[in-house]
Amino acid sequence: MLCPKCGYSEGNHVEVKKTDKEFFLEWWTPTLGLEEAKRSWEDKVAMKSREAPMVMSDIDGHISMADGTWVSSRSKHRENLKRNNCIELGNDVPTQQKVHEFSRKDQETRKRQIAEITYSKLKYK
């Protein structure tokens, strides 16, 4: 008996790898016809190159490390972190630094110090 995919006998079967396009066309050609299946493939390729919205699934339930309560969803996880004054760290490096706010008096003092240092260096040159 011969394998319908590779043409060899069952004992000498050779696995033939198909490209995504070949698999797609083989699957959809009987239903859509070859020309429509090719157009559908081109649409699929074009869709991959465009930006598409990402949908993130909900997380599995787990026990909170902060207080030992059961957390059943992503929103409850964020709520639990906030309630326990915790932050979530991952592999990402924080990009936004905390903005330091200075009072008006501190700003004026700092400007004066910078000006004094700058002008004192100019005097010595």
Side-chain angles (χ1 to χ4, degrees):
M1 179 148 195
L2 297 178
C3 173
K5 292 183 179 180
C6 68
Y8 288 98
S9 62
E10 286 186 29
N12 299 327
H13 179 73
V14 177
E15 188 66 35
V16 178
K17 295 279 185 180
K18 293 181 182 175
T19 64
D20 288 342
K21 182 178 181 179
E22 290 171 338
F23 183 78
F24 184 90
L25 293 176
E26 181 181 302
W27 181 267
W28 287 107
T29 298
T31 307
L32 302 174
L34 182 60
E35 292 305 314
E36 184 63 29
K38 284 181 181 179
R39 279 194 296 274
S40 294
W41 173 256
E42 295 304 322
D43 290 344
K44 179 180 173 157
V45 170
M47 190 183 319
K48 278 186 176 180
S49 65
R50 292 188 302 237
E51 286 189 32
M54 185 180 96
V55 177
M56 190 181 301
S57 63
D58 206 359
I59 59 174
D60 294 332
H62 63 278
I63 296 173
S64 168
M65 291 182 169
D67 60 4
T69 59
W70 181 254
V71 178
S72 58
S73 66
R74 193 175 305 280
S75 61
K76 295 218 181 351
H77 176 70
R78 287 190 300 265
E79 180 183 304
N80 184 275
L81 290 173
K82 192 179 229 182
R83 184 175 59 244
N84 291 296
N85 294 324
C86 295
I87 59 169
E88 188 168 9
L89 293 177
N91 295 335
D92 298 336
V93 177
T95 55
Q96 184 177 5
Q97 299 294 324
K98 183 178 178 182
V99 177
H100 296 285
E101 293 185 23
F102 297 104
S103 68
R104 190 79 172 145
K105 182 180 176 185
D106 291 340
Q107 288 177 356
E108 294 300 323
T109 304
R110 188 71 181 140
K111 285 179 184 178
R112 193 174 302 108
Q113 289 173 346
I114 292 170
E116 287 173 2
I117 292 170
T118 304
Y119 291 125
S120 68
K121 288 183 179 180
L122 289 175
K123 287 181 183 177
Y124 293 116
K125 285 188 177 185

